[in-house]
């Protein structure tokens, strides 16, 4: 049985190595995973209580419209409920956007080093991806604007950008939107929104009233600590959200995920605590990289990308054998390693192991 011809050569997403696999492979008792930008501080205590209430309801389908959660998010963001759609992670919302708005012959624009799911979903819909090189790890909005044609349907802006961590500030973004044809959709992926401390960073949801072609993506996987439950959402005009809903499968988020997300949203004290701890962790890592004489991109999420000045894949492998999992293998940046900001203890273990791995350059891997 043969699959569709145009998907045969599509790459398969490669997640970071799980802790259990590394422990088994290298005979390690402890492994520190700093590869997937997870929250090292877990999740709000309110989440556990909310999940426990759902344990006797597994026989019931979830609310297909996520009505209660939608109302809570709408109030939190000061938007209307019909402007919100939930997905199995914001990844699913990306897939739904591509399904609803991209066809063969269409063009879509993105950075050349950004979240890979934009391109993979465009490929599935037979759209043409125009990849615009980053400049110093940052979106080149002028070049992206110049790449727009009458076939352009969607521009993807990951803000902060994954994997580099850089941001597009509010004035830059508004200037771009003011000059972009209103017929072109702009998807602002703000998965790391809650971590950003830069005062010039824009809140995409505040732009929706003036720019009807903007869709904002957020997630509960990052600062809210619900990565395992897979729940994210999109915010846009009611017309755009309706179109996405038309191609959404029913019951695409679970009862547990909806209840957990609602409880997590209600605990903004936990969010602010994680935000502050993350900022401290970033400062520690930046100082250590400076001590080691290594440059890095401006970090605004819960991760930082550092230039190892050698093969990052080799550094990654040497660290893996010592029980620390980071992320390498970035085609545009072969000497760069991306590391999640962990707890203070995890950050210290990372730096110690990282320095050892750097000094082992040339050793057998």
């Amino acid at each position: 049985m043969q699959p569709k011809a145009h998907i045969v050569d599509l790459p398969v997403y490669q997640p970071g190595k799980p802790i259990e696999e590394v422990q088994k492979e290298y005979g390690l008792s402890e492994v520190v995973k700093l590869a997937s930008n997870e929250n090292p501080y877990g999740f709000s205590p309110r989440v556990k209580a909310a999940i426990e209430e759902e344990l006797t309801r597994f026989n019931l389908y979830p609310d297909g419209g996520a009505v209660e959660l939608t109302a809570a998010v709408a109030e939190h963001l000061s938007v209307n409920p019909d402007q919100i759609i939930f997905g199995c992670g914001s990844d699913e919302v990306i897939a739904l956007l591509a399904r609803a708005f991209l066809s063969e012959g269409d063009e879509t624009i993105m950075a050349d080093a950004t979240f890979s799911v934009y391109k993979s979903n465009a490929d599935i819909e037979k759209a043409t991806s125009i990849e615009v090189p980053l400049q110093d790890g940052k979106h080149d909005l002028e070049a992206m604007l110049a790449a727009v044609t009458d076939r352009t349907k969607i521009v993807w802006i990951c803000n902060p950008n994954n994997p580099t961590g850089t941001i597009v500030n509010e004035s830059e973004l508004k200037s771009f939107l003011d000059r972009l044809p209103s017929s072109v959709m702009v998807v602002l992926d703000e998965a790391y929104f809650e971590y950003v401390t830069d005062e010039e960073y824009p809140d995409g949801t505040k732009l929706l009233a003036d720019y009807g072609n903007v869709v904002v993506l957020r997630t509960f996987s990052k600062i809210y600590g619900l990565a395992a439950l897979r729940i994210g959402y999109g915010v846009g005009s009611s017309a755009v959200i309706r179109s996405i809903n038309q191609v959404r499968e029913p019951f695409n988020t679970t009862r547990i995920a909806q209840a957990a997300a609602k409880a997590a949203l209600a605990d903004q004290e936990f969010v602010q605590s994680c935000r502050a701890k993350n900022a401290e962790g970033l400062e520690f890592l930046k100082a250590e990289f400076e001590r080691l004489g290594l440059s890095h991109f401006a970090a605004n999420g819960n991760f930082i990308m550092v230039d190892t000045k050698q093969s990052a894949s080799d550094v990654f492998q040497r660290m893996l054998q010592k029980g620390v999992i980071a992320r390498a293998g970035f085609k545009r940046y072969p000497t760069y390693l991306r590391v999640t900001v962990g707890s203070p203890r995890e950050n210290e273990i990372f730096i110690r192991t990282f320095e050892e791995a750097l000094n082992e350059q040339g050793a057998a891997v």
Side-chain angles (χ1 to χ4, degrees):
M1 185 175 293
Q2 295 297 317
K4 294 179 180 179
H6 74 281
I7 74 163
V8 170
D9 296 321
L10 291 184
V12 176
Y13 180 80
Q14 298 297 323
K17 277 202 169 190
I19 291 174
E20 296 79 7
E21 181 181 337
V22 175
Q23 285 179 313
K24 183 177 180 181
E25 184 174 353
Y26 296 106
L28 301 167
S29 59
E30 180 184 22
V31 170
V32 173
K33 182 187 176 189
L34 299 174
S36 300
N37 301 340
E38 297 151 331
N39 187 342
Y41 303 105
F43 46 82
S44 165
R46 300 187 190 188
V47 168
K48 183 179 179 181
I51 289 176
E52 288 175 345
E53 287 187 19
E54 292 296 325
L55 295 180
T56 60
R57 300 170 183 164
F58 286 176
N59 58 311
L60 303 176
Y61 281 107
D63 173 4
V67 174
E68 289 188 6
L69 178 57
T70 297
V73 171
E75 181 178 2
H76 179 69
L77 298 178
S78 298
V79 299
N80 296 323
D82 63 1
Q83 291 183 263
I84 299 171
I85 185 168
F86 285 91
C88 181
S90 56
D91 297 32
E92 187 189 16
V93 183
I94 292 168
L96 294 174
L97 281 162
R99 184 187 297 178
F101 293 98
L102 294 178
S103 300
E104 185 173 4
D106 290 338
E107 293 179 352
T108 180
I109 299 171
M110 64 203 68
D112 68 337
T114 192
F115 191 37
S116 63
V117 175
Y118 312 144
K119 185 178 187 304
S120 62
N121 279 285
D123 289 344
I124 290 169
E125 304 302 332
K126 294 187 177 182
T128 298
S129 295
I130 309 299
E131 297 179 89
V132 176
L134 295 173
Q135 294 297 319
D136 298 321
K138 182 176 175 179
H139 283 79
D140 187 344
L141 295 186
E142 294 302 316
M144 295 178 87
L145 190 64
V148 173
T149 71
D150 57 4
R151 292 191 295 173
T152 306
K153 289 293 184 68
I154 301 177
V155 177
W156 308 87
I157 300 175
C158 191
N159 201 30
N161 185 48
N162 179 13
T164 58
T166 57
I167 63 169
V168 170
N169 67 37
E170 186 166 6
S171 62
E172 292 167 337
L173 181 57
K174 285 185 175 180
S175 174
F176 173 79
L177 292 172
D178 286 339
R179 291 176 289 157
L180 186 75
S182 60
S183 59
V184 178
M185 178 183 292
V186 177
V187 179
L188 300 177
D189 188 344
E190 298 180 348
Y192 302 94
F193 171 83
E194 292 85 0
Y195 282 113
V196 183
T197 59
D198 191 320
E199 293 182 356
E200 295 185 0
Y201 176 67
D203 178 344
T205 65
K206 305 303 183 188
L207 302 175
L208 298 176
D210 295 324
Y211 303 96
N213 57 334
V214 169
V215 176
V216 178
L217 304 180
R218 300 270 178 91
T219 184
F220 284 94
S221 294
K222 302 305 178 185
I223 205 165
Y224 288 102
L226 304 184
L229 298 183
R230 310 307 302 124
I231 186 160
Y233 59 98
V235 191
S237 72
S238 58
V240 168
I241 297 303
R242 183 180 186 279
S243 295
I244 303 172
N245 262 315
Q246 288 177 302
V247 299
R248 177 179 65 86
E249 300 296 332
F251 311 119
N252 63 324
T253 60
T254 67
R255 295 187 66 95
I256 284 184
Q258 290 179 27
K262 184 181 175 184
L265 186 70
D267 193 352
Q268 289 300 309
E269 184 177 343
F270 173 81
V271 171
Q272 293 305 317
S273 172
C274 292
R275 184 172 184 254
K277 291 174 183 176
N278 181 77
E280 292 174 0
L282 274 177
E283 290 306 311
F284 170 78
L285 292 175
K286 289 176 185 177
E288 289 297 302
F289 294 149
E290 182 176 348
R291 176 181 65 81
L292 294 171
L294 301 177
S295 61
H296 58 83
F297 290 122
N300 293 278
N302 67 333
F303 58 93
I304 186 168
M305 199 171 183
V306 59
D307 187 355
T308 67
K309 298 183 179 180
Q310 54 184 284
S311 168
S313 294
D314 288 348
V315 175
F316 162 85
Q317 189 63 38
R318 294 195 289 268
M319 293 182 67
L320 193 67
Q321 295 171 355
K322 300 172 186 291
V324 175
I325 313 174
R327 191 85 175 203
F330 301 102
K331 185 176 180 181
R332 171 79 187 279
Y333 300 105
T335 63
Y336 279 75
L337 193 78
R338 191 195 71 188
V339 57
T340 302
V341 180
S343 66
R345 177 176 177 272
E346 289 172 331
N347 293 335
E348 289 172 1
I349 291 173
F350 165 78
I351 288 296
R352 182 177 67 247
T353 307
F354 179 59
E355 187 169 6
E356 290 174 359
L358 290 176
N359 293 333
E360 291 170 2
Q361 183 177 10
V365 176

